[in-house]
Amino acid sequence: MKPFYLTTAIDYPNAAPHLGHAYEKVLADAIARHVRRTGRPVHFLTGLDQHGQKVQQTAEKAGIHPATHVKKTSKLFTRLWESLSISHDAWIETTDERHKKAVRTLLQRLYDAGDITKGTYRGYYSVRQEQYITAKERREDGSFGPEWGEVVELEEENWYFALKKHLPWLRAFLNSHPKAVFPASRLRNLVQAVEESEGADLCISRPKSRLRWGIELPFDPDYVCYVWFDALTNYISGAGWPDGSWDAGGPRFDELWPNDCNVIGKDILVPAHGIYWLCMLHAAGFTDDQMPRFLVHGWWNIRNQAGESEKMSKSLGNVVDPQALVDTVGADALRYYLLSEMTTGQDADFSHERLIVRTNAELANGLGNLLNRALNMTQRYCGGVVTRGHHDDPLLAEVRDAVATLPARHLAALETWQFNRALEAAWSVIDTANRFVERTEPFKLAKDPAQADRVTGIMHHLCEALAHLSIFLEPVIPAAMSQLRAQLRWEPPAGLTYHTLRWGLLPDGHTIGKPKPLFTKIETDAAAPPAAG
């Protein structure tokens, strides 16, 4: 079976990670964990894009070498991914010699095919975006918007990729492949951008006279590769292109490609991924069936004092530091909030208050209280042993039915990666189980020896429901589900998938452990964590 090849946009470690970085990795990690539970192997690649003019300029200001700068800032990203339990299978950095070799191979292949030629450009250049921009980017007053940062006028000789040559193919491809981009609204945006494209070729080099921190062109040592051309190639270099495998003993490129799911933010679909990358692959000989599929997520915004949603920005001082959130509420609580609060593909507003409410009401009170009740009462009334007991009560059937419908609801939601809907399905089971306790009142039944069989049935249903829930919640809150199963003293058997899941995970006579809190309630007046640096 072909592994599900999952990638994220590799991060640019020129500053501290922000909430968007965290969300993208958590979303991709949840996808990876979910697909693994379907029974399909996964190869999850992420990493760091360490070249470019911004890195060089920041390093020069600090009086250090760019390699030293990226090594220092990269630690902020790797620490965050570790604390968020990101389960990637492969890691790539664009400074790796294996990646550089792949980039040079791609450049040489396109050069030999006549798709890279030399030319002179005179116009405007955005230092922040590291790209040339045209007059259409100007505002009505003639200025360039703040999103472009410093804009300078340049005239220089460079190497160009024949982008406009491949645009007719790209238009036809996008119109005939409606699943190339999800959600459909992002595909429409991309199609419109391609239709409106002026057809200018893409500058893929920078002269060493102003940029040395990059990959040298194999056919001209006076130039280095444009950072986007370098960074985008990671999706194939990290899969082993062109030689076979990235790591010894790992899967080969022809076993992994195409890229089943490339998780990116909406800001880099156009033009980088949806135009540059697809045309680069087509020019390199990749067929339509070998093109990647993009999952495009929205932005995390934040409400200002006027109650209006606005983009997080350092200049506005409203950027949220995800590492501070992890340190404040815990990794699983943040993962849960991010995936339950955002509809995949759309924007959402971050709210520290909502984070606290979800942690307290849903994780601590809802799930945590259910586990505490089930294990405490099983210890107290059943000696810590789960036995099948009474099954005739219709209230028991309600719990079994709720659990039985969970796989279909979960899988339906994740056909389009809507973890918020998948979590709603899981929480309907949690709510059913908690109401079940209130309606059956086992703490009262236990006082009557004649009701002992009914009490054991109730405890069995609660513990069994928790075992099932641990499977469906694991992609979102993996550490907590590992702790929950440790308290149940149960682990899923090897090869268990959503499709093979059946009632009866806990064997008759199974001994459970003692409960410990899964989540700590957050004080409602807790101060919001500091902004990102």
Coordinates of all heavy atoms in Angstrom, one line a residue, residues 17-77:
P17 N 8.2 31.4 16.1 CA 7.0 30.9 15.5 C 5.8 31.6 16.1 O 5.7 32.0 17.2 CB 7.0 29.4 15.9 CG 7.9 29.4 17.1 CD 8.9 30.4 16.9
H18 N 4.7 31.7 15.3 CA 3.5 32.3 15.7 C 2.4 31.3 15.7 O 2.6 30.1 15.4 CB 3.1 33.5 14.8 CG 3.1 33.2 13.4 ND1 2.1 32.4 12.8 CD2 3.9 33.7 12.4 CE1 2.3 32.4 11.5 NE2 3.4 33.1 11.2
L19 N 1.1 31.7 16.0 CA 0.0 30.8 16.2 C -0.3 30.0 14.9 O -0.7 28.9 14.9 CB -1.2 31.5 16.7 CG -2.3 30.6 17.3 CD1 -1.9 29.9 18.5 CD2 -3.6 31.5 17.6
G20 N -0.1 30.7 13.8 CA -0.4 30.1 12.5 C 0.5 28.9 12.3 O 0.1 27.8 11.7
H21 N 1.8 29.0 12.6 CA 2.8 27.9 12.5 C 2.3 26.7 13.4 O 2.3 25.6 12.9 CB 4.1 28.3 13.1 CG 4.9 29.3 12.2 ND1 5.3 30.5 12.7 CD2 5.2 29.3 10.9 CE1 6.0 31.2 11.8 NE2 5.9 30.5 10.6
A22 N 1.9 27.0 14.6 CA 1.4 25.9 15.5 C 0.2 25.2 14.9 O 0.1 24.0 15.0 CB 1.1 26.5 16.9
Y23 N -0.8 26.0 14.5 CA -2.0 25.4 13.9 C -1.7 24.5 12.8 O -2.2 23.4 12.7 CB -3.0 26.5 13.5 CG -4.2 25.9 12.8 CD1 -5.2 25.2 13.4 CD2 -4.3 26.1 11.4 CE1 -6.3 24.7 12.7 CE2 -5.4 25.5 10.7 CZ -6.3 24.8 11.4 OH -7.4 24.3 10.7
E24 N -0.9 25.0 11.8 CA -0.6 24.2 10.7 C 0.0 22.8 11.0 O -0.4 21.8 10.5 CB 0.3 24.9 9.7 CG 0.7 24.2 8.4 CD 1.4 25.0 7.4 OE1 0.7 26.0 6.9 OE2 2.6 24.8 7.2
K25 N 1.0 22.8 12.0 CA 1.6 21.6 12.4 C 0.6 20.7 13.2 O 0.6 19.5 13.0 CB 2.9 21.9 13.2 CG 4.0 22.6 12.4 CD 4.4 21.8 11.2 CE 5.4 22.5 10.4 NZ 5.0 23.7 9.8
V26 N -0.2 21.3 14.0 CA -1.2 20.5 14.8 C -2.2 19.8 13.8 O -2.5 18.7 13.9 CB -1.8 21.3 15.8 CG1 -3.1 20.6 16.4 CG2 -0.9 21.7 17.0
L27 N -2.7 20.6 12.8 CA -3.6 20.1 11.8 C -3.0 18.9 11.1 O -3.6 17.9 10.9 CB -4.0 21.2 10.9 CG -4.9 20.8 9.7 CD1 -6.2 20.2 10.1 CD2 -5.1 22.0 8.7
A28 N -1.8 19.1 10.6 CA -1.1 18.0 9.8 C -0.8 16.8 10.7 O -1.0 15.7 10.3 CB 0.2 18.6 9.3
D29 N -0.4 17.1 12.0 CA -0.2 15.9 12.9 C -1.5 15.2 13.1 O -1.4 13.9 13.2 CB 0.4 16.5 14.2 CG 0.7 15.3 15.1 OD1 1.7 14.6 14.9 OD2 0.0 15.2 16.2
A30 N -2.6 15.8 13.3 CA -3.8 15.2 13.6 C -4.2 14.4 12.3 O -4.8 13.2 12.4 CB -4.9 16.2 13.9
I31 N -4.0 14.9 11.1 CA -4.3 14.2 9.9 C -3.4 12.9 9.9 O -3.9 11.8 9.6 CB -4.0 15.0 8.7 CG1 -5.0 16.1 8.6 CG2 -4.0 14.2 7.4 CD1 -4.7 17.2 7.5
A32 N -2.1 13.0 10.2 CA -1.2 11.9 10.2 C -1.7 10.8 11.1 O -1.8 9.6 10.8 CB 0.2 12.3 10.5
R33 N -2.1 11.2 12.3 CA -2.5 10.2 13.3 C -3.8 9.5 12.9 O -4.0 8.4 13.2 CB -2.6 10.9 14.7 CG -1.3 11.3 15.3 CD -1.5 12.1 16.6 NE -0.2 12.7 17.1 CZ 0.6 12.0 17.9 NH1 0.3 10.8 18.3 NH2 1.7 12.6 18.4
H34 N -4.7 10.3 12.3 CA -6.0 9.8 11.9 C -5.8 8.8 10.8 O -6.3 7.7 10.8 CB -6.9 10.9 11.4 CG -8.0 10.5 10.5 ND1 -9.1 9.8 11.0 CD2 -8.2 10.6 9.1 CE1 -9.9 9.5 10.0 NE2 -9.4 10.0 8.9
V35 N -4.9 9.1 9.8 CA -4.7 8.2 8.6 C -4.1 6.9 9.1 O -4.4 5.8 8.6 CB -3.9 8.9 7.5 CG1 -3.6 7.9 6.4 CG2 -4.7 10.1 7.0
R36 N -3.1 7.0 10.0 CA -2.5 5.8 10.6 C -3.5 4.9 11.2 O -3.5 3.7 11.0 CB -1.5 6.2 11.6 CG -0.2 6.9 11.0 CD 0.8 7.2 12.1 NE 1.8 8.1 11.6 CZ 2.2 9.2 12.2 NH1 1.5 9.7 13.2 NH2 3.1 10.0 11.6
R37 N -4.6 5.4 11.8 CA -5.6 4.6 12.4 C -6.5 4.0 11.4 O -7.3 3.1 11.7 CB -6.4 5.4 13.5 CG -7.4 4.7 14.3 CD -6.7 3.5 15.0 NE -5.9 3.9 16.1 CZ -5.2 3.1 16.9 NH1 -5.2 1.8 16.7 NH2 -4.4 3.5 17.9
T38 N -6.5 4.5 10.2 CA -7.3 3.9 9.1 C -6.7 2.6 8.6 O -7.2 1.8 7.8 CB -7.6 4.8 7.9 OG1 -6.3 5.0 7.3 CG2 -8.2 6.1 8.4
G39 N -5.4 2.4 9.0 CA -4.7 1.2 8.6 C -3.7 1.5 7.4 O -2.9 0.6 7.0
R40 N -3.6 2.8 7.0 CA -2.7 3.2 5.9 C -1.4 3.7 6.5 O -1.5 4.6 7.4 CB -3.4 4.2 5.0 CG -2.5 4.5 3.7 CD -3.3 5.5 2.8 NE -2.5 5.9 1.7 CZ -2.8 6.7 0.7 NH1 -4.1 7.2 0.8 NH2 -2.0 7.0 -0.3
P41 N -0.3 3.3 6.0 CA 1.0 3.9 6.5 C 1.1 5.4 6.1 O 0.5 5.8 5.0 CB 2.1 3.1 5.8 CG 1.4 2.5 4.6 CD 0.0 2.3 5.0
V42 N 1.8 6.2 6.9 CA 1.9 7.6 6.6 C 3.4 8.0 6.6 O 4.2 7.4 7.4 CB 1.2 8.4 7.8 CG1 1.5 9.9 7.6 CG2 -0.3 8.2 7.7
H43 N 3.7 8.9 5.7 CA 5.1 9.5 5.7 C 4.9 11.0 5.8 O 4.4 11.6 4.9 CB 5.9 9.1 4.5 CG 7.3 9.5 4.5 ND1 8.2 8.7 5.3 CD2 8.0 10.5 4.0 CE1 9.4 9.3 5.2 NE2 9.3 10.4 4.4
F44 N 5.1 11.5 7.0 CA 4.8 12.9 7.3 C 6.1 13.7 7.4 O 7.0 13.5 8.2 CB 4.1 12.9 8.7 CG 3.8 14.3 9.3 CD1 3.9 15.5 8.5 CD2 3.5 14.4 10.6 CE1 3.7 16.7 9.1 CE2 3.2 15.7 11.2 CZ 3.3 16.8 10.4
L45 N 6.3 14.7 6.4 CA 7.5 15.5 6.3 C 7.2 16.9 6.7 O 6.3 17.5 6.3 CB 8.0 15.4 4.8 CG 9.1 16.4 4.5 CD1 10.5 15.9 5.0 CD2 9.2 16.6 3.0
T46 N 8.1 17.4 7.5 CA 8.1 18.9 7.7 C 9.6 19.3 7.9 O 10.5 18.5 7.8 CB 7.3 19.2 9.0 OG1 7.1 20.7 9.0 CG2 7.9 18.7 10.3
G47 N 9.8 20.6 8.2 CA 11.2 21.0 8.3 C 11.3 22.5 8.3 O 10.4 23.3 8.6
L48 N 12.5 23.0 7.8 CA 12.9 24.4 7.9 C 13.5 24.9 6.6 O 14.3 24.3 6.0 CB 13.9 24.7 9.1 CG 13.3 24.3 10.5 CD1 14.5 24.3 11.5 CD2 12.3 25.4 10.9
D49 N 13.0 26.1 6.2 CA 13.5 26.8 5.0 C 14.5 27.9 5.5 O 14.1 28.9 6.0 CB 12.3 27.4 4.3 CG 12.7 28.5 3.3 OD1 13.9 28.4 2.8 OD2 11.8 29.3 2.9
Q50 N 15.8 27.6 5.4 CA 16.8 28.4 6.1 C 17.6 29.4 5.2 O 18.5 30.1 5.8 CB 17.8 27.4 6.8 CG 17.1 26.6 7.9 CD 18.0 25.5 8.5 OE1 18.7 24.9 7.8 NE2 17.9 25.4 9.8
H51 N 17.3 29.5 4.0 CA 18.1 30.4 3.1 C 17.3 31.7 2.9 O 16.2 31.9 3.4 CB 18.3 29.7 1.7 CG 19.4 28.6 1.8 ND1 19.2 27.4 1.2 CD2 20.6 28.6 2.4 CE1 20.2 26.6 1.5 NE2 21.1 27.4 2.1
G52 N 17.9 32.6 2.1 CA 17.2 33.8 1.7 C 17.7 35.1 2.2 O 18.6 35.2 3.2
Q53 N 17.3 36.2 1.6 CA 17.8 37.5 1.9 C 17.5 38.0 3.3 O 18.3 38.6 3.9 CB 17.3 38.5 0.8 CG 18.0 39.9 0.9 CD 17.6 40.7 -0.3 OE1 16.8 40.3 -1.1 NE2 18.2 41.9 -0.4
K54 N 16.3 37.7 3.8 CA 15.9 38.2 5.1 C 16.8 37.6 6.2 O 17.2 38.2 7.1 CB 14.4 37.8 5.4 CG 13.5 38.7 4.6 CD 12.0 38.4 4.9 CE 11.6 37.1 4.3 NZ 10.1 36.9 4.5
V55 N 17.1 36.3 6.0 CA 18.0 35.6 7.0 C 19.4 36.3 6.9 O 20.0 36.6 8.0 CB 18.1 34.1 6.7 CG1 19.3 33.5 7.4 CG2 16.8 33.4 7.0
Q56 N 19.9 36.5 5.7 CA 21.2 37.1 5.6 C 21.2 38.5 6.2 O 22.2 38.9 7.0 CB 21.6 37.2 4.1 CG 22.9 37.9 3.9 CD 23.3 37.9 2.4 OE1 23.6 36.8 1.9 NE2 23.4 39.0 1.8
Q57 N 20.2 39.3 6.0 CA 20.1 40.7 6.5 C 20.0 40.7 8.0 O 20.7 41.5 8.7 CB 18.9 41.4 5.9 CG 19.1 41.8 4.5 CD 17.9 42.5 3.9 OE1 16.8 42.3 4.4 NE2 18.0 43.2 2.8
T58 N 19.2 39.8 8.6 CA 19.1 39.7 10.1 C 20.4 39.3 10.7 O 20.8 39.9 11.7 CB 18.0 38.7 10.5 OG1 16.7 39.1 9.8 CG2 17.8 38.7 12.0
A59 N 21.1 38.3 10.1 CA 22.4 37.9 10.6 C 23.4 39.0 10.5 O 24.2 39.2 11.5 CB 22.8 36.7 9.8
E60 N 23.4 39.7 9.4 CA 24.4 40.8 9.3 C 24.2 41.9 10.4 O 25.1 42.4 10.9 CB 24.3 41.4 7.9 CG 24.8 40.5 6.8 CD 24.5 41.1 5.4 OE1 23.7 42.0 5.3 OE2 25.1 40.6 4.4
K61 N 22.9 42.2 10.6 CA 22.6 43.2 11.7 C 23.1 42.7 13.1 O 23.5 43.5 13.9 CB 21.1 43.5 11.7 CG 20.6 44.3 10.5 CD 19.1 44.5 10.6 CE 18.6 45.3 9.4 NZ 17.1 45.4 9.5
A62 N 23.0 41.4 13.3 CA 23.5 40.9 14.6 C 24.9 40.6 14.6 O 25.5 40.2 15.6 CB 22.7 39.6 14.8
G63 N 25.6 40.8 13.4 CA 27.0 40.5 13.4 C 27.4 39.1 13.5 O 28.5 38.7 13.9
I64 N 26.6 38.2 13.0 CA 26.9 36.7 13.0 C 26.6 36.2 11.6 O 26.1 36.8 10.7 CB 26.0 36.0 14.0 CG1 24.5 36.2 13.7 CG2 26.3 36.5 15.4 CD1 23.5 35.4 14.6
H65 N 27.1 34.9 11.4 CA 27.0 34.3 10.2 C 25.5 33.8 10.0 O 24.9 33.4 11.1 CB 27.9 33.0 10.1 CG 28.0 32.5 8.7 ND1 27.1 31.5 8.2 CD2 28.9 32.7 7.7 CE1 27.4 31.2 7.0 NE2 28.5 31.9 6.7
P66 N 24.9 33.8 8.8 CA 23.6 33.3 8.7 C 23.3 31.9 9.2 O 22.3 31.6 9.8 CB 23.3 33.3 7.2 CG 24.2 34.4 6.7 CD 25.4 34.3 7.6
A67 N 24.3 31.0 9.1 CA 24.2 29.7 9.6 C 24.0 29.7 11.1 O 23.2 28.9 11.7 CB 25.4 28.8 9.2
T68 N 24.7 30.6 11.8 CA 24.6 30.7 13.3 C 23.2 31.2 13.6 O 22.6 30.8 14.6 CB 25.7 31.6 13.8 OG1 27.0 31.1 13.4 CG2 25.6 31.7 15.3
H69 N 22.8 32.2 12.9 CA 21.4 32.8 13.1 C 20.3 31.7 13.0 O 19.5 31.6 13.9 CB 21.2 33.9 12.2 CG 19.8 34.5 12.2 ND1 19.2 35.0 13.3 CD2 18.8 34.5 11.2 CE1 18.0 35.4 13.0 NE2 17.7 35.1 11.8
V70 N 20.3 31.0 11.9 CA 19.2 30.0 11.7 C 19.3 28.9 12.7 O 18.3 28.3 13.1 CB 19.2 29.5 10.2 CG1 18.8 30.6 9.3 CG2 20.5 28.8 9.8
K71 N 20.5 28.5 13.1 CA 20.7 27.5 14.1 C 20.0 27.9 15.4 O 19.4 27.1 16.0 CB 22.1 27.1 14.3 CG 22.4 26.0 15.2 CD 23.9 25.6 15.3 CE 24.1 24.4 16.3 NZ 25.5 24.1 16.4
K72 N 20.2 29.1 15.7 CA 19.6 29.7 17.0 C 18.1 29.8 16.9 O 17.4 29.3 17.8 CB 20.2 31.0 17.3 CG 19.7 31.7 18.5 CD 20.3 33.1 18.7 CE 19.7 33.8 19.9 NZ 20.3 35.1 20.1
T73 N 17.6 30.4 15.8 CA 16.2 30.6 15.7 C 15.4 29.2 15.5 O 14.3 29.1 15.8 CB 15.8 31.6 14.7 OG1 16.5 31.2 13.4 CG2 16.3 33.0 15.0
S74 N 16.1 28.3 14.8 CA 15.4 27.0 14.5 C 15.1 26.3 15.8 O 14.1 25.5 15.8 CB 16.4 26.2 13.6 OG 16.5 26.8 12.3
K75 N 15.8 26.5 16.8 CA 15.6 25.8 18.1 C 14.2 26.2 18.6 O 13.6 25.4 19.3 CB 16.7 26.1 19.1 CG 18.0 25.5 18.8 CD 19.1 25.8 19.8 CE 20.4 25.2 19.5 NZ 21.4 25.6 20.5
L76 N 13.7 27.4 18.3 CA 12.4 27.8 18.8 C 11.3 27.0 18.2 O 10.3 26.6 18.8 CB 12.2 29.3 18.5 CG 13.2 30.3 19.1 CD1 12.9 31.7 18.6 CD2 13.1 30.3 20.6
F77 N 11.5 26.7 16.9 CA 10.5 25.9 16.2 C 10.6 24.4 16.6 O 9.6 23.8 16.9 CB 10.8 26.0 14.7 CG 10.4 27.3 14.1 CD1 11.3 28.4 14.1 CD2 9.2 27.5 13.5 CE1 10.9 29.6 13.6 CE2 8.8 28.7 12.9 CZ 9.7 29.8 13.0

